[in-house]
């Protein structure tokens, strides 16, 4: 396919959608599927058929819409009306009321059981109103298993623009200007990384998409891969063009079978249309992507370990430098970015780097996807501008703590991060502010805790995680995490002493400073941050054994 | 236990569909050593775990030292050298599930079936495992029974489902 044919196909796909007066999306993300959305979808399709409305109403199995614990979710467009906890037995009534009589059934609307008055237009609901969707745009509105849906929504236009209107240098310049930072955790400037890889001369370079998402309690990458796989794929191809690579790998967690299936399907569809493979769209550029399935090791999210794993070996990290940008997969220059990072590329190319940089804070541009979970009223997937406060996320979007409880702490950054206490609820969620509180942004997992959480046990929990997941290559991490875990266990068992606590703090510094990779270097973070903000709880355990 | 050389030289039945599946995968990957993990995934999916004979077969076909294969298998949680049971119950102990009481569910299941995570009942009917996070955190606590994710899990309901599937009372 060439450029004109692509445009024609996109136009046709768009026309096809516009024929329909109504669209109904049924969320078929993994969470809603487990709540029974596939049966809802089937029942709805039957209902539409029985009523002879097939030419008026389009039924779309879509990706994640956000409020995952209210699933199965069903959304009516253009009204943006969302129904929650949809039961197969209600479908006839909903279709009759919503479509035919144009009267939404209020008691079945999203958040009807918890808001005084639910919103007919979900965009006006505080859960959505405060959000800004860039990486998640289209996720929840299109069928992720149909490339034409993506094309109709403007998909692959960024790729076309990059190939035909921009040089690789200009693509990199746009990404630099966007000031986007990597969403995998460390927040390294994406444009700078691309430029570094671009500058190395080599017969072969690689692009890797990090979809290992090992942080327990995080599901952003999963939702993006399941809800809009073509967006990630498009970002990878653009990256390949920019840095001069013809081969990409997507490393996806084995625990995410649906994400793997949908991404593989996306590759197949894109290849068939000539958006992957040789001479893409008639340009001189060729690019292929292969999927690699993770086998369950947290450390494989670390870039050098991930590369070892793609090479078929034990996923153990190696010292850097050399960084993957210089010597990565099979010793060749390798660009490695997170799923969400790639998902942000197409909008940057389409709208320009400057447009992206206008959102967020001076040092953290753009938006961030968070997976909101734990003791929160409305858990789910959200995307907000960088710099949104924790309070806005927890109380305005998330509806506050579950069952009207008191907020105690928010955990960010998973086993590498820390806990933010109530007195810092007004912290801006950006890279620097979180670090100043002893936590990190991490990949976007945000777990809310109420007073039922014992912070010493939280520290022990994460230390146990790091101890189990330590690859064992270097002593500070292998032995240090075990020693710290045992001390924490002792304190949890009310057998700890002040000496144990001093010892813990001392060990934390050693492990932090001398571990080979980020796993060990950040393993003490949950301990240090709970000590910083909740020291009283440790002392209570030691002095008063409670 | 059989000596390793005996295992290494043992031939697998070529007509076994599972063996055919692995053979086809190795051929597709051109017997490249870097495809080892992909091939192990295929084998694990076919058998439910990785029997020693199968590992020996892969080792020989890819011309790898047994230590390389063994060390890779034992590194990754997903691969198992023992059967995981005819039916499996995986309790997520990731952060969101931990905060929402996964440990209590696990304790109840351990007590009910006298199993610790990683163990299988003597009749091989049921195995209990833990997971780091299955990405259904919005529905925490989450439990997976034979590939079906159960959100907002409750120990007694899980026990009912398990009993119905396994015939254990
Ligand atoms: C222990 C450890 C685990 C990591 N896990 C992930 C992960 O699951 N996903 C991810 O994208 N990055 C992870 N990273 C960060 C990667 O090493 C790497 O920085 C990132 O993929 C780069 O992409 P970005 O620049 O787009 O953020 C991890 C790092 C460490 C040290
Ligand atoms: S810090 Fe831990 S995970 Fe990293 S290389 Fe050392 S032992 Fe392995
Ligand atoms: S923490 Fe249990 S599903 Fe994520």
């Amino acid at each position: 396919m060439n450029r004109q044919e692509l445009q024609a196909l996109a136009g046709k796909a768009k026309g096809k959608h516009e024929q329909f007066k109504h669209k109904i999306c049924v969320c078929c993300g993994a969470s809603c599927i487990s709540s029974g959305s596939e049966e809802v979808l089937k029942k709805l399709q039957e209902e539409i058929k029985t009523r002879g409305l097939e030419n008026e109403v389009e039924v779309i199995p879509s990706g994640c819409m956000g409020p995952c614990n209210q699933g199965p979710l069903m959304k009516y467009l253009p009204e943006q009306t969302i129904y929650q906890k949809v039961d197969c037995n209600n479908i006839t009534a909903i279709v009759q009321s919503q479509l035919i009589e144009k009267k939404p059934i209020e008691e079945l609307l999203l958040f009807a059981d918890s808001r005084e008055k639910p919103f007919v237009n979900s965009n006006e609901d505080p859960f959505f109103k405060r959000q800004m969707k860039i990486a998640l745009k289209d996720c929840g509105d299109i069928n992720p298993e149909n490339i034409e849906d993506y094309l109709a929504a403007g998909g692959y236009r960024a790729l076309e623009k990059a190939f035909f209107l921009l040089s690789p240098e200009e693509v990199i310049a746009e990404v630099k200007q966007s000031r986007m930072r990597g969403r995998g955790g460390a927040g390294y400037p994406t444009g700078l990384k691309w430029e570094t890889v671009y500058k190395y001369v080599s017969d072969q370079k690689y692009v890797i998409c990090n979809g290992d998402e090992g942080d327990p309690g995080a599901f952003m990458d999963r939702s993006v891969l399941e809800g809009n796989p073509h967006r990630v794929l498009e970002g990878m191809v653009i990256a390949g063009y920019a840095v001069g690579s013809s081969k990409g790998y997507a490393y996806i967690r084995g625990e995410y079978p649906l994400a793997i299936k949908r991404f593989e399907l996306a590759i197949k569809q894109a290849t068939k249309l000539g958006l992957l493979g040789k001479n893409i769209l008639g340009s001189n550029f060729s690019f292929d992507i292969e999927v690699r399935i993770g086998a369950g090791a947290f450390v494989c999210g670390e870039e050098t370990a991930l590369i070892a794993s793609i090479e078929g070996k034990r996923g153990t990290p190696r010292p850097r430098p050399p960084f993957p940008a210089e010597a990565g997969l099979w010793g060749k220059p390798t660009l490695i970015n997170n799923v969400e990072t790639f998902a942000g590329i197409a909008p940057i190319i389409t709208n320009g780097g400057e447009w992206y940089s206008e959102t967020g804070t001076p040092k953290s541009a753009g938006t961030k996807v968070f997976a909101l979970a734990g003791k929160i009223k409305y858990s789910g997937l959200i995307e907000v501008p960088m710099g949104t406060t924790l309070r806005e996320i927890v109380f305005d979007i998330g509806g506050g703590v579950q069952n009207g409880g008191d907020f105690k702490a928010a955990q960010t950054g998973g086993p590498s991060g820390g806990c933010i206490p109530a007195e810092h609820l007004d912290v801006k969620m950006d890279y620097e502010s979180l670090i100043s509180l002893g936590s990190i942004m991490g990949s976007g997992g945000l777990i809310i805790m109420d007073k039922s959480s014992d912070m010493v046990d939280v520290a022990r929990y994460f230390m146990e995680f790091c101890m189990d997941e330590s690859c064992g290559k270097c002593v500070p991490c292998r032995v240090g995490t075990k020693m710290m875990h045992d001390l924490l266990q002792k304190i949890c068992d009310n057998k700890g002493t002040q000496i144990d606590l001093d010892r813990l703090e001392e060990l934390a510094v050693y492990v932090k400073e001398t571990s080979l990779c980020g796993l060990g270097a950040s393993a003490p973070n949950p301990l240090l941050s709970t000590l910083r903000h909740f020291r009283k709880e440790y002392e209570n355990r030691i002095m008063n054994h409670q | 236990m059989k000596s390793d050389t005996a295992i290494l030289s043992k031939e697998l039945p070529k007509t076994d569909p599972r063996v055919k599946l692995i053979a086809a995968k190795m051929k597709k990957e051109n017997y490249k050593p870097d495809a080892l993990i992909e091939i192990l995934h295929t084998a694990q999916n076919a058998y439910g775990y990785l029997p020693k004979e199968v590992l020996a077969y892969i080792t020989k076909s890819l011309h790898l030292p047994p230590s390389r294969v063994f060390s890779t298998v034992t590194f990754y949680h997903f691969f198992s050298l023992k059967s995981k049971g005819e039916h499996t119950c995986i309790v997520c102990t990731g952060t969101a599930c931990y905060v929402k009481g996964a440990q209590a569910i696990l304790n109840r299941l351990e007590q009910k079936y006298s199993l610790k995570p990683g163990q299988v009942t003597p009749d091989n009917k049921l195995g209990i495992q833990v997971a780091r996070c299955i990405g259904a955190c919005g529905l925490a606590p989450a439990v997976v029974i034979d590939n079906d994710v159960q959100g907002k899990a409750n120990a007694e309901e899980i026990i009912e489902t398990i009993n119905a599937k396994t015939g254990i009372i």
Side-chain angles (χ1 to χ4, degrees), chain A residues 31 34 69 216-217 219 222 253 292-296 309 311-315 374 379 402 457-458 461 465 468-469, chain B residues 34 37-38 41 68 71 75-79 93-96 98-100 132-135 137-139 149 152:
Chain A
S31 285
S34 78
N69 72 344
F219 51 94
R222 163 186 202 155
R253 271 186 104 199
R292 284 285 187 249
I293 301 170
S309 185
E311 291 172 354
K313 303 185 191 131
R314 285 165 69 93
S379 61
Q402 201 183 24
D457 194 63
V458 168
Y461 167 82
F465 181 95
D468 285 349
E469 295 296 332
Chain B
D34 57 74
I37 295 176
E38 303 302 297
H41 269 297
R68 161 84 197 281
S71 69
F75 183 82
Y76 295 97
H77 297 302
F78 192 76
F79 301 132
T93 53
T95 321
Y98 156 80
V99 168
K100 289 204 145 183
R132 283 298 183 212
C133 173
I134 51 165
C137 325
L139 299 177
V149 180
K152 303 179 195 173

Side-chain angles (χ1 to χ4, degrees), chain B residues 12 46-47 76 90 116 133 143:
Chain B
L12 288 173
Y47 286 85
Y76 295 97
I90 307 172
K116 290 250 168 261
C133 173
V143 174

Side-chain angles (χ1 to χ4, degrees), chain A residues 182-184 193 210 212-214 301-303 336-338 341 518-519:
Chain A
R183 300 296 191 237
K193 200 188 258 185
N210 188 341
D212 198 44
E213 194 158 65
E302 196 278 338
E303 52 193 26
I336 173 161
N337 275 132
N338 168 260
T341 311
L519 192 154

Side-chain angles (χ1 to χ4, degrees), chain A residues 138-291:
Chain A
D138 302 327
C139 190
D141 289 338
I142 64 171
N143 179 352
E145 298 191 6
N146 187 347
I147 192 169
E148 287 187 14
D149 272 28
Y150 184 62
L151 287 171
Y156 290 108
R157 299 305 289 265
L159 180 148
E160 186 199 331
K161 178 174 174 188
F163 280 21
F164 295 101
L165 299 177
L166 304 174
S167 66
E169 295 85 349
E170 285 167 328
V171 171
I172 292 172
E174 287 296 342
V175 178
K176 275 177 89 170
Q177 200 188 12
S178 76
R179 294 187 293 111
M180 183 199 230
R181 297 168 65 172
R183 300 296 191 237
Y188 190 82
T190 305
L192 208 58
K193 200 188 258 185
W194 287 28
E195 190 175 54
T196 314
V197 180
Y198 166 78
K199 281 189 177 151
Y200 282 108
V201 181
S202 172
D203 56 337
Q204 179 66 282
K205 295 181 190 177
Y206 296 100
V207 170
I208 297 176
C209 174
N210 188 341
D212 198 44
E213 194 158 65
D215 172 4
F219 51 94
M220 304 75 50
D221 296 349
R222 163 186 202 155
S223 306
V224 173
L225 287 168
E226 282 175 4
N228 202 354
H230 283 287
R231 179 65 98 65
V232 180
L233 198 156
E234 184 176 8
M236 286 181 74
V237 183
I238 295 172
Y241 171 74
V243 303
S245 155
S246 60
K247 176 90 194 177
Y249 286 91
Y251 189 94
I252 308 177
R253 271 186 104 199
E255 287 85 342
Y256 293 175
L258 188 63
I260 295 168
K261 180 184 139 208
R262 291 201 177 145
F263 198 77
E264 283 180 337
L265 186 68
I267 292 178
K268 220 187 242 163
Q269 292 173 341
T271 308
K272 198 162 160 220
L273 291 187
L275 293 162
L276 273 179
K278 289 227 171 335
N279 304 332
I280 297 174
L281 295 181
S283 70
N284 280 327
F285 179 70
S286 304
F287 195 75
D288 277 310
I289 300 179
E290 246 180 83
V291 172

Side-chain angles (χ1 to χ4, degrees), chain B residues 48-100:
Chain B
Y49 71 111
L50 296 168
K52 275 199 179 157
E53 296 78 17
V54 173
L55 287 182
Y57 169 57
I58 295 172
T59 303
K60 255 199 321 201
S61 310
L62 300 185
H63 301 289
L64 284 170
S67 61
R68 161 84 197 281
V69 176
F70 197 72
S71 69
T72 307
V73 169
T74 51
F75 183 82
Y76 295 97
H77 297 302
F78 192 76
F79 301 132
S80 167
L81 293 166
K82 306 185 298 227
S83 165
K84 293 181 177 177
E86 271 170 49
H87 297 277
T88 53
C89 172
I90 307 172
V91 179
C92 175
T93 53
T95 321
C97 295
Y98 156 80
V99 168
K100 289 204 145 183

Side-chain angles (χ1 to χ4, degrees), chain A residues 96-123:
Chain A
Q96 175 67 26
S97 248
Q98 172 76 28
L99 267 184
I100 315 289
E101 295 163 18
K102 313 270 177 235
K103 270 201 322 253
I105 307 183
E106 210 165 88
E107 61 272 23
L108 299 178
L109 292 180
L110 181 66
F111 303 136
D113 43 359
S114 52
R115 292 215 194 281
E116 250 169 55
K117 194 162 168 51
F119 292 83
V120 174
N121 177 346
S122 61
N123 286 342

